[in-house]
Amino acid sequence: MRVAAFCAFAAGLGLVPTPVGQGPRYRPAPDGPARQRTQCTRAPLRAGARVHLELFANRRVVVVPAGIGVERPRLRLGRVVAASCRTRLWTLDPSGVVRYEGAATLADVFATWGRVLGPRRLLTFHGRVRAWVNGRPRTGDPRRLRLRDRDEVVLEVGGLVPPHRSFRFPP
C-alpha cells in the first residue's frame, strides 16, 4: 500500500521512474568515434560550472557516461577520481552532470563526446529531437543551446518522458 501511495505522489509531482534502455545504444562509451580532439590540460576535476543533461530515446534513459573529456581516467565505483588531463567539458560519473569552463553549447558537449546531435538525430537514434531547459520547451536546433550553470537540460527522441524542471546538484 505504501509503494502505491508513493508512486501516486511521485506521478503527481511529475517524477516518473524511467528505465534505462537495453544494449550499447543506451550506454554509449565516453569516447565516441567522431570525438573532437581538443586541448587537454592538467586542471582540477571538480572545478567548473555544471549542467545536468538527461537523454531519452524511445521513452528509455540513455546514460551520459563518466569520462567524457578526460584522458586516462582512473575510476572507482564507476566515478572518475583522477585523470592525466581534461578538456573544457567533462563528466566524472554517469549521473548526467556535465562540467564545463567558458561559454559552451550542446554542440560542444557532443563534439567532445564524439557523438551525433542534430535536429533529427540524438546519438544513433533518428527522429525529431525535442529539448527542454528547466522544464520549458525549446525550439530550434538543439546544438545551439547554450549551457548555463545549474540548468536542467532534457533531450528526447521517439516518445515523451515528462521533463524535469530542476536537478539537485551535489555539493
Side-chain angles (χ1 to χ4, degrees), residues 32-45:
R35 188 177 74 167
Q36 184 180 65
R37 301 293 176 190
T38 58
Q39 183 177 0
C40 195
T41 59
R42 298 184 130 235
L45 290 174

Side-chain angles (χ1 to χ4, degrees), residues 88-89 103-110 142-147:
R88 65 184 198 91
L89 295 121
T105 64
L106 282 179
D108 299 321
V109 173
F110 281 79
R143 293 173 291 202
R144 294 185 180 176
L145 207 150
R146 290 206 168 275
L147 304 184

Side-chain angles (χ1 to χ4, degrees), residues 39-157:
Q39 183 177 0
C40 195
T41 59
R42 298 184 130 235
L45 290 174
R46 298 195 50 86
R50 299 176 290 176
V51 65
H52 185 244
L53 177 61
E54 287 188 287
L55 307 178
F56 297 96
N58 304 318
R59 296 186 180 98
R60 297 290 184 257
V61 171
V62 178
V63 176
V64 177
I68 295 171
V70 297
E71 293 292 329
R72 293 186 292 284
R74 191 172 79 227
L75 299 173
R76 183 177 304 135
L77 300 173
R79 182 174 173 73
V80 176
V81 294
S84 61
C85 62
R86 66 162 173 82
T87 63
R88 65 184 198 91
L89 295 121
W90 68 101
T91 63
L92 298 178
D93 57 44
S95 67
V97 174
V98 178
R99 293 175 179 267
Y100 64 97
E101 289 185 337
T105 64
L106 282 179
D108 299 321
V109 173
F110 281 79
T112 300
W113 190 4
R115 303 292 175 179
V116 178
L117 174 64
R120 301 208 44 83
R121 187 159 169 205
L122 173 61
L123 307 169
T124 61
F125 302 96
H126 295 269
R128 188 177 120 217
V129 176
R130 291 178 297 211
W132 285 266
V133 176
N134 301 326
R136 295 191 173 130
R138 295 296 171 106
T139 58
D141 188 338
R143 293 173 291 202
R144 294 185 180 176
L145 207 150
R146 290 206 168 275
L147 304 184
R148 290 185 346 189
D149 192 27
R150 303 181 78 77
D151 271 356
E152 165 70 8
V153 177
V154 177
L155 298 178
E156 298 188 11
V157 64

